[in-house]
Amino acid sequence: MRGSDFADLKAFVTIAERGSFSVAARTLAISPSALSQRMREFEARLGVRLLNRTTRSVALTDRGQALFNDIVPLFSGFDQALADLTAEEQVAGLLRLNLSRVAATYLLAPHLNAFNTAYPSVTLDITIEDTFSDIVAGRFDAGIRLGETLEKDMVAVRMGSRRESMVVASPELITRLGTPGSPRDLHQFPCIRFRWPGDMNLYRWEFEKDGELLELDVEGPLITNETAMMRIAAEQGLGFAYLLDVEAREGIEAGRLIRVLADWTPPFGEFYLYHPSTKHMPNQLRTFIDFLGNRLRDQ
């Protein structure tokens, strides 16, 4: 690869990340016209259109997106290799993480102060998204999700014990309406439904017992894409809720919620911290994996 190719690729990535020629030009300390000319010459040399331009915006073509996805991890590797030469084993710098809301609230949040106390030179940059995020394209160092949602080409490290779902309701609601004897009985009870963030689909409650698998649509007075609201609504007596154990357990222990149908909701999976398979893992990521993994095992 020629030196000019590397500079052109760096310019291309900067444009893609900033979404603007003018902003990218300021970042690269060149004029927008010079940057635009560089990209035209680069595309001509490749024989591939990488960017769609309008007077107001710039967007990646399909081929441009493919190149961006391939090249970003390589640039990250370059940056990390240079950082390793100067930082050696120093644990410092920015660590960008992408987590689901449940993972952020119940796995990571309780340990933030302890991590900061142990490694004050590391800055955590946390993005919370319940929709699945491409951590490579987003330039995140790692993500934390339930294992069943991970891409197969990721390196995954288990965090904590196996999780299970719980059907819960307030004591007052159960006193008034009784309890379902089986999942199918839930059609006779008010239920709090969950809508997947980012689309219009409602979650179908999943059950398993003695090899029998069930997925149920339920009905009720509330639909939300926020599980914390589901828990609060269940505690207030609006209906039965289907929650992950880490979300329901405090309410159960405090007597605000009662679990039902426990024999139909066995453990199903674990949370994993996952990251791209790269030769140069940032020191702060390696340290964070060991720290959080040890804290969760002790817990």
Side-chain angles (χ1 to χ4, degrees), residues 97 135-136 140-144 150-151 153-157 272-278 280-282 285-286 289:
L97 303 172
I135 64 171
V136 175
F140 293 100
D141 296 296
I144 301 180
L150 299 186
E151 295 289 343
D153 58 348
M154 291 289 157
V155 177
V157 182
Y272 283 84
L273 183 147
Y274 62 100
H275 59 90
S277 177
T278 58
H280 297 283
M281 181 188 294
L285 176 57
R286 183 183 300 108
I289 291 173

Side-chain angles (χ1 to χ4, degrees), residues 10 14 27 31 54 77 79 115 129 139 156 225-226 232 279:
K10 187 68 174 178
T14 304
T27 303
S31 69
T54 69
D79 292 341
F115 183 79
E129 295 180 306
R139 303 200 71 176
N225 66 350
E226 176 52 70
I232 293 170
K279 183 176 181 180

Side-chain angles (χ1 to χ4, degrees), residues 15 26 100 254 269 280:
I15 295 168
R26 287 196 298 271
S100 67
H280 297 283

Side-chain angles (χ1 to χ4, degrees), residues 49-64:
R49 188 174 184 83
L50 302 174
L51 301 166
N52 287 322
R53 307 164 177 83
T54 69
T55 56
R56 295 187 176 182
S57 64
V58 58
L60 295 174
T61 65
D62 290 343
R63 299 289 295 278

Side-chain angles (χ1 to χ4, degrees), residues 167-187:
V167 180
V168 295
S170 70
E172 294 78 12
L173 183 71
I174 289 176
T175 298
R176 179 162 51 90
L177 299 180
T179 60
S182 75
R184 294 182 179 88
D185 293 339
L186 287 167
H187 291 302

Side-chain angles (χ1 to χ4, degrees), residues 131-152:
T131 54
F132 185 80
S133 177
D134 185 339
I135 64 171
V136 175
R139 303 200 71 176
F140 293 100
D141 296 296
I144 301 180
R145 291 285 190 286
L146 285 169
E148 60 187 8
T149 63
L150 299 186
E151 295 289 343
K152 300 302 182 184

